[in-house]
Amino acid sequence: MSTSALPDTAALAERARTALDRCRVDRPRETAGAAGAARTPITGQELFPLDHDDTASVDGAVTAAHGAFTSAWRDTPAPVRGQLVHRLGALLREHKDDLAELVTIEAGKIRSEALGEVQEMIDICDLAVGLSRQLYGRTMPSERPGHRLMETWHPLGVVGVITAFNFPVAVWSWNTCVALVCGDTVVWKPSELTPLTALACHGLLMRAAADVGAPADVHRVVLGGREVGEALVEDRRVALLSATGSTAMGRAVAPRVAARMGRYLLELGGNNAAVVAPSADLDLVVRGSVFSAAGTAGQRCTTLRRLIVHEDVVEEVARRVVDAYKQLRDRIGDPFEESTLVGPLVGERGYTAMRSALERAGADGGEVLVGGGRRLAEEAGDAYYVEPAVVRMPGQTEVVREETFAPILYVMSYRTLEEAVELHNGVPQGLSSAIFTQDQAEAERFLSAAGADCGIVNVNIGTSGAEIGGAFGGEKDTGGGRESGSDSWKAYMRRATNTVNYGGELPLAQGVRFL
Ligand code: NAD
């Protein structure tokens, strides 16, 4: 790839402004000397300065969202709340290209993945609109004559949403679309690395609110870093804090929310593995692994980081994966280029982490089979383009047990399925996992209670690329939260158990007699 292939920062800034204008979103104030900035990993440069919020303005946002909750939104019928999300879905369809443009500029995702991320927002809108008529409670038989026992679901209040850079819009929409139909209002703190996508989403939601007559304060966005997030964490009016990011962030946030008896929902780091059995279809293994491990430049929470391969096929699998990686070499670079498959890392932090992990793996006896180098170092300046790496490891050492948020795939071998499962589960994280096998009994054992210990367990597909219909989330250091589909909506509501006496007598439960 040549220097001229990298767009210049001024052109990217102009593209970002145009996308915001097309969404008819208020442009951020580009005040020189502002506390923050919009940046792009494509060149590693600042696009323009941008105001950040302070703790006083976070307080104002929560006050506004709390007011909208108590004065209107919680009492609006759920199917009417669904109309807001329906309208948002229509605007997202209309502005899919514009949002994808901003995702590529701010997160560095290749065009097709950026479009896919916006599609995920559209899909969750559809799911949430349907959900707005399906917030079911159960009815149970009462042991007392003339009584009815049932449960009803009610909105919680303000939901604080803190998101990571690598899914700058999808994770917001999983939370916000479901929270809104559940009757909650939302204050969103996006990653400090992706403020423009956040302003665009907020702007489109405000247009949707105006179109359907919903209160504007059902949603607020606050920009800034950790201190802005901490203000949400500490605010007692934030009934649920949904936080997505590193395990270190989750560890800082969870005890503080718990100390004020708030609820939290955590979506944290992963260290995902695929087991490759001797019967596996190796074509599927190679395609599934390369997309899961090198896609999004290894910056997905569900990125495949460990390949645990049966000793009979490990040499062949490693050779074929390495061959596929060699084909990626010329397809690293400008994420706007149609032919690019691997865009930039989000910044120097990811690059330093990758270099350090490769050094440690080497010291542990690992051999880099392919990749690991920096591309375009001269031309890209402050941007970090890397060759995805495959490392053959003699065992699961400490560095392999950590999540390095960069494209490194560790290959290890096993003899028995028990050994494979032990290696698989022998890490602190528990997000996504897969087995490649043609042996159904083996697949079932992997899916069973004694198998993989993750929130997502797949057969014959890779670890990344979940659909919104299922609940998304993971166990152990991944935080235990579930978002998106299935019954994840229950996290955004409170359950009341109701006993109604229509019998005219007052029998007590458990046969207790009193008076
Ligand atoms: P990060 O932890 O650096 O930041 C995430 C968000 O938390 C940002 O908005 C940040 O400003 C905020 N934050 C950080 N410390 C905070 C604190 N003490 N109080 C309140 N807010 C705080 O993560 P990142 O680098 O943006 O994203 C990468 C990480 O996110 C990876 O570990 C990845 O696996 C994880 N992730 C997980 C999921 C999931 O669904 N499990 C999805 C996407 C990303």
Side-chain angles (χ1 to χ4, degrees):
M1 218 188 86
S2 66
T3 329
S4 58
L6 279 188
D8 75 37
T9 306
L12 291 170
E14 207 39 51
R15 285 178 83 153
R17 290 188 190 101
T18 307
L20 290 169
D21 287 347
R22 277 202 301 256
C23 293
R24 285 186 273 137
V25 166
D26 286 342
R27 286 243 209 105
R29 272 191 295 144
E30 299 182 21
T31 324
R39 309 184 68 83
T40 178
I42 299 174
T43 61
Q45 308 272 311
E46 182 175 314
L47 295 167
F48 36 78
L50 192 69
D51 281 340
H52 271 182
D53 284 272
D54 56 19
T55 48
S57 57
V58 177
D59 181 73
V62 177
T63 303
H66 191 256
F69 173 72
T70 50
S71 67
W73 199 240
R74 68 178 173 195
D75 299 320
T76 303
V80 176
R81 300 193 295 244
Q83 288 168 15
L84 170 60
V85 176
H86 185 264
R87 179 67 191 130
L88 174 65
L91 289 172
L92 292 176
R93 283 177 170 87
E94 198 181 310
H95 293 288
K96 186 173 175 179
D97 281 347
D98 301 322
L99 285 173
E101 179 103 342
L102 291 169
V103 169
T104 298
I105 291 172
E106 286 196 308
K109 285 193 182 186
I110 62 170
R111 184 85 181 142
S112 138
E113 290 190 47
L115 286 165
E117 182 168 353
V118 182
Q119 184 59 46
E120 209 168 325
M121 304 171 79
I122 294 168
D123 294 344
I124 195 79
C125 285
D126 289 351
L127 182 136
V129 173
L131 190 60
S132 71
R133 292 183 184 270
Q134 299 175 75
L135 301 170
Y136 301 132
R138 295 168 186 229
T139 304
M140 305 79 157
S142 169
E143 67 184 58
R144 286 169 281 188
H147 284 58
R148 184 153 72 90
L149 188 56
M150 62 181 181
E151 57 187 24
T152 47
W153 291 87
H154 306 277
L156 279 180
V158 179
V159 175
V161 177
I162 294 177
T163 52
F165 80 86
N166 65 323
F167 272 94
V169 292
V171 171
W172 166 74
S173 67
W174 295 352
N175 281 283
T176 301
C177 295
V178 172
L180 288 175
V181 299
C182 288
D184 302 318
T185 56
V186 173
V187 179
W188 179 21
K189 193 209 86 65
S191 165
E192 51 275 49
L193 300 176
T194 55
L196 300 183
T197 47
L199 290 172
C201 292
H202 174 69
L204 292 175
L205 181 54
M206 290 303 93
R207 275 174 62 190
D211 290 349
V212 303
D217 288 331
V218 292
H219 189 264
R220 285 296 195 98
V221 63
V222 289
L223 299 183
R226 180 193 178 129
E227 24 351 289
V228 173
E230 282 171 345
L232 280 181
V233 168
E234 297 295 347
D235 197 314
R236 293 185 68 87
R237 294 167 300 175
V238 175
L240 169 69
L241 187 90
S242 175
T244 300
S246 57
T247 296
M249 179 276 288
R251 275 195 215 295
V253 158
R256 294 169 74 173
V257 180
R260 61 171 176 81
M261 297 295 178
R263 288 193 195 185
Y264 55 78
L265 197 169
L266 300 176
E267 297 283 356
L268 310 175
N271 188 355
N272 316 293
V275 171
V276 180
S279 67
D281 175 337
L282 297 191
D283 289 340
L284 291 187
V285 171
V286 174
R287 280 173 43 218
S289 303
V290 175
F291 170 67
S292 286
T296 329
Q299 301 171 113
R300 283 191 188 215
C301 50
T302 51
T303 289
L304 177 67
R305 307 199 181 279
R306 298 175 295 137
L307 203 53
I308 302 167
V309 190
H310 192 271
E311 59 182 8
D312 287 354
V313 288
V314 68
E315 296 309 325
E316 184 178 355
V317 168
R319 181 180 52 72
R320 290 182 61 176
V321 169
V322 166
D323 284 348
Y325 267 56
K326 285 180 182 161
Q327 291 170 32
L328 294 177
R329 272 190 186 145
D330 297 327
R331 306 183 71 175
I332 301 166
D334 176 8
F336 278 117
E337 277 290 324
E338 196 71 27
S339 61
T340 298
L341 292 177
V342 182
L345 292 179
V346 75
E348 187 176 7
R349 177 177 70 161
Y351 178 67
T352 311
M354 182 169 180
R355 289 306 318 157
S356 147
L358 289 174
E359 269 170 38
R360 287 169 64 199
D364 291 344
E367 182 194 353
V368 177
L369 302 179
V370 67
R374 188 174 169 200
R375 302 296 298 266
L376 309 163
E378 297 284 303
E379 306 92 312
D382 297 328
Y384 292 87
Y385 293 85
V386 293
E387 296 167 345
V390 177
V391 185
R392 182 80 163 87
M393 290 301 292
Q396 189 153 269
T397 60
E398 198 181 318
V399 68
V400 180
R401 298 175 70 250
E402 293 170 9
E403 179 196 48
T404 300
F405 217 55
I408 304 176
L409 178 63
Y410 299 108
V411 179
M412 294 166 287
S413 64
Y414 76 90
R415 279 198 199 94
T416 63
L417 185 63
E418 289 65 34
E419 201 186 319
V421 169
E422 199 177 313
L423 271 176
H424 178 279
N425 294 348
V427 296
Q429 313 80 358
L431 181 52
S432 186
S433 58
I435 188 167
F436 287 88
T437 180
Q438 301 296 321
D439 177 338
Q440 193 184 350
E442 196 170 48
E444 293 292 342
R445 276 159 68 199
F446 193 71
L447 296 174
S448 76
D453 62 359
C454 290
I456 298 168
V457 188
N458 297 331
V459 177
N460 290 329
I461 64 163
T463 53
S464 64
E467 298 177 24
I468 56 95
F472 182 95
E475 301 301 325
K476 303 192 294 187
D477 278 8
T478 304
R482 290 296 185 278
E483 289 176 2
S484 192
S486 186
D487 64 351
S488 306
W489 60 271
K490 290 178 177 173
Y492 302 83
M493 302 197 86
R494 72 180 164 83
R495 178 198 324 238
T497 300
N498 313 127
T499 309
V500 179
N501 177 4
Y502 59 89
E505 302 290 327
L506 202 62
L508 299 179
Q510 294 90 40
V512 173
R513 293 184 185 284
F514 200 81
L515 279 183

